[in-house]
Amino acid sequence: GSSSTAPETAPPKPVEPAALGRTYTVVSGDSLSRIAKREYGDATLWPRIFDANRDQIKNPDLIHPGQVLKIPSA
């Protein structure tokens, strides 16, 4: 038989989804406050979503269906 002197390697740890944050795909009729209400249970937390997505949202009142937004943890 064959034997190996190489140490056993642990399987790679799965990346925690919370560490990455979540994403949300905008649908027709959505607003940042509506998404905040759905994701956090509090519509007034919409600035968190806006701040996390300033690279693609210039005006928080103008989001478009199909946009994929980062949803930071609450």
Side-chain angles (χ1 to χ4, degrees):
S2 65
S3 65
S4 171
T5 57
E8 282 190 38
T9 57
K13 292 182 180 170
V15 176
E16 292 291 324
L20 295 175
R22 299 187 305 273
T23 59
Y24 176 81
T25 302
V26 177
V27 297
S28 182
D30 271 342
S31 64
L32 290 181
S33 60
R34 184 171 290 171
I35 296 167
K37 175 76 172 168
R38 182 180 300 127
E39 294 293 321
Y40 303 134
D42 186 347
T44 65
L45 296 178
W46 69 264
R48 288 187 185 181
I49 300 170
F50 178 54
D51 287 340
N53 292 280
R54 284 187 183 268
D55 56 329
Q56 59 176 323
I57 301 174
K58 302 305 176 215
N59 178 341
D61 294 324
L62 292 176
I63 60 173
H64 306 285
Q67 274 183 301
V68 178
L69 303 180
K70 295 181 283 290
I71 306 296
S73 53

